[in-house]
Amino acid sequence: MSADQLDSAIRDVLHRWTPDDQGVPAGLADRIVRRRRRRNVVRVTGAALALAGVAFGAVLATGPGGEDGARPPASGMSGRGSLLWRTTLPGTSWDACTTGPSAVYCRGPEYDGIHVDARTGKIVWEREADGDDGDRTPAGALPGVRDGVLYTYADHAPGTPGAGTDLVALDIDSREVLWKHELADDSRGRSSAVLFEGGILANAPSFKSVAALDGATGRTLWTHSWKRADCDRDAVDGVPYLMCSPDSEKAPQYSTVVRLDPATGTPRTVASVEGPTAYVGTDGDAVLLAGKADGRQPFGEPGPADLIRVELGSGKVSRHRVEGMPVGVVADGIVLSFDRGGSAVAYAADDGERLWSRDLGLTLRKDPHDAMMRELSSEAAVDPDSRVAYYADPSGHLVGLDLDTGAVRWRGRVALPDAPSEAGVAPELMVYDHGLVGQVGRELFRIEPELG
């Protein structure tokens, strides 16, 4: 299921849920979809569907903020840690960050890129956007950093109603734009631009096509197009793949995993599976998909689902029944998702076995302007060496769960300035050098938990 299919599913669910409810704010579905683009597809989609009572979204809680300055987390927590630094970023809001060698890079409505020293938290450079893109098409993710180049996004025609989106290559040392390439639509998620060996795969030049671009020059190396399907993109061992699902009920009702030759773009279908699917992630040399049990539609309906594993080497497909849509983070053989009750849940990536479920012990605040909306937690950030999955909430509370058992191994809190509840916007948490880098609104911090 692509980002646009998810948009449609959210609207359908919410419109079915509130057809006659006069107390529901006008345009609620469209506002949720718009807010979804402020963070990655999976988490906010979960929150939207949770409103209809059919979701896997988390229900986490925050507490009061208000302390200022860089200092260790507040006393009284069940665990210890060191706050190495906390930096207030310029501008009014930030949408996505990524890490690189000794650096953190972020992108926001007013800045196409900012470079923060990961050792000190000091801002090294900023590159302002040509125009403030407001809340139209924020980045849900950044493509990444490679060979001294930061790949980010910018408005194609700043200041216009249909500004569009450019994939932008920024030289980290000179801060100069090396090249820009217009994308087919305004999706700025994890599959909009994917680094692979020999280039970067972009959602261009049309919606149902991709272009492989030279990372240094932006030159088009090859293109590939398709029909009657929406496709996510990813790279496994440097090789680009498409995970495609039917784009309508009139299209053939099967999904495919397609390998694209890195040098030529020549496609090869690895496997086909029955029914529409959503791309979950990769586990070693395998692609994970999620589909409704027995291929039923729509995705917004509650009930059992299938975790579908496609072995890329042999094309073998296996389906494993799970209790709900297993959409989330894949790490070291485990899929980390959320159940309908709001607890974190872990499934084995090889056979779908439910390994554990854990209430994170936090509660998200309600939006003061919209009682039907709540804050979101971050996705899981996994340190595979210590085998801990970390989560953060918008007021700076953090928890670390044992990856294998779900046991709480650490709790902490980063003191953040008071901020109003803003539904549909999640913090971002990244593992960095066995510690954590977090982004909450304008606040960027680095912390080293001391595990129990």
Side-chain angles (χ1 to χ4, degrees):
M1 177 180 277
S2 71
D4 292 280
Q5 285 177 299
L6 286 168
D7 284 350
S8 178
I10 295 169
R11 289 191 176 97
D12 288 346
V13 168
L14 290 173
H15 290 159
R16 288 200 305 271
W17 173 50
T18 60
D20 302 312
D21 187 350
Q22 300 301 314
V24 176
L28 175 61
D30 290 324
R31 285 161 50 202
I32 291 174
V33 170
R34 184 171 64 250
R35 284 169 173 165
R36 183 182 62 76
R37 297 189 183 277
R38 293 185 63 89
R39 191 57 74 223
N40 63 70
V41 168
V42 172
R43 288 293 294 113
V44 188
T45 300
L49 295 179
L51 292 175
V54 297
F56 45 83
V59 182
L60 300 186
T62 68
E67 297 181 72
D68 199 9
R71 64 189 69 180
S75 60
M77 62 184 179
S78 57
R80 297 181 298 171
S82 298
L83 180 62
L84 302 184
W85 50 260
R86 197 194 86 204
T87 297
T88 300
L89 301 175
T92 57
S93 64
W94 291 82
D95 300 313
C97 298
T98 189
T99 58
S102 301
V104 183
Y105 302 94
C106 298
R107 188 259 173 211
E110 300 165 65
Y111 293 85
D112 293 336
I114 190 168
H115 177 180
V116 178
D117 190 311
R119 295 163 296 184
T120 65
K122 293 182 179 180
I123 296 174
V124 179
W125 55 255
E126 308 163 1
R127 182 172 182 87
E128 293 187 6
D130 290 335
D132 185 349
D133 67 5
D135 198 35
R136 287 197 305 276
T137 53
L142 286 178
V145 177
R146 185 170 65 186
D147 298 333
V149 178
L150 168 66
Y151 298 97
T152 182
Y153 299 110
D155 281 359
H156 176 71
T160 63
T165 295
D166 282 339
L167 172 65
V168 180
L170 283 178
D171 184 276
I172 290 173
D173 291 330
S174 69
R175 316 175 202 177
E176 295 298 321
V177 174
L178 300 177
W179 53 265
K180 296 182 179 181
H181 190 94
E182 185 178 7
L183 300 184
D185 61 27
D186 284 332
S187 298
R188 300 181 183 182
R190 65 172 179 170
S191 71
S192 299
V194 175
L195 296 171
F196 70 94
E197 186 174 349
I200 181 168
L201 193 68
N203 170 23
S206 64
F207 178 67
K208 294 186 187 303
S209 67
V210 289
L213 309 174
D214 181 85
T217 66
R219 178 174 61 91
T220 298
L221 304 175
W222 49 261
T223 62
H224 172 68
S225 60
W226 59 88
K227 297 179 180 179
R228 308 185 76 182
D230 291 326
C231 301
D232 282 306
R233 297 152 285 277
D234 210 338
V236 183
D237 292 332
V239 177
Y241 287 85
L242 301 176
M243 282 62 64
C244 301
S245 181
D247 62 0
S248 70
E249 293 183 358
K250 296 181 180 180
Q253 294 301 295
Y254 60 86
S255 298
T256 58
V257 176
V258 179
R259 181 188 189 275
L260 301 177
D261 185 277
T264 65
T266 302
R268 177 175 64 84
T269 299
V270 176
S272 297
V273 300
E274 182 182 357
T277 59
Y279 175 52
V280 179
T282 61
D283 178 47
D285 191 29
V287 161
L288 302 180
L289 307 173
K292 292 302 295 182
D294 304 319
R296 295 178 307 176
Q297 294 189 61
F299 275 83
E301 295 296 333
D306 285 341
L307 177 64
I308 305 166
R309 184 181 181 92
V310 178
E311 304 293 341
L312 297 178
S314 64
K316 178 183 176 182
V317 176
S318 57
R319 302 182 76 113
H320 309 281
R321 188 63 48 87
V322 293
E323 296 175 13
M325 289 294 286
V327 182
V329 172
V330 184
D332 205 15
I334 294 177
V335 181
L336 296 166
S337 185
F338 293 90
D339 65 19
R340 293 183 62 204
S343 295
V345 59
Y347 297 99
D350 58 352
D351 61 7
E353 178 187 359
R354 185 181 175 111
L355 302 176
W356 52 261
S357 177
R358 170 70 63 175
D359 184 339
L360 300 182
L362 305 168
T363 302
L364 294 166
R365 297 174 298 180
K366 294 181 179 179
D367 188 326
H369 305 294
D370 189 340
M372 307 305 296
M373 301 285 286
R374 289 182 178 269
E375 294 177 318
L376 298 176
S377 74
S378 70
E379 282 191 325
V382 178
D383 183 346
D385 292 333
S386 62
R387 302 197 65 75
V388 174
Y390 295 97
Y391 300 82
D393 70 28
S395 60
H397 295 80
L398 302 103
V399 60
L401 303 184
D402 188 281
L403 188 59
D404 299 303
T405 68
V408 175
R409 293 183 57 186
W410 177 80
R411 288 190 185 274
R413 175 174 176 260
V414 175
L416 299 175
D418 278 322
S421 171
E422 188 177 4
V425 181
E428 190 162 21
L429 201 59
M430 298 159 280
V431 171
Y432 183 85
D433 194 23
H434 301 295
L436 298 170
V437 171
Q439 177 255 324
V440 181
R442 297 175 57 202
E443 303 302 316
L444 190 70
F445 61 85
R446 182 179 172 190
I447 189 170
E448 287 189 350
E450 296 180 13
L451 300 172

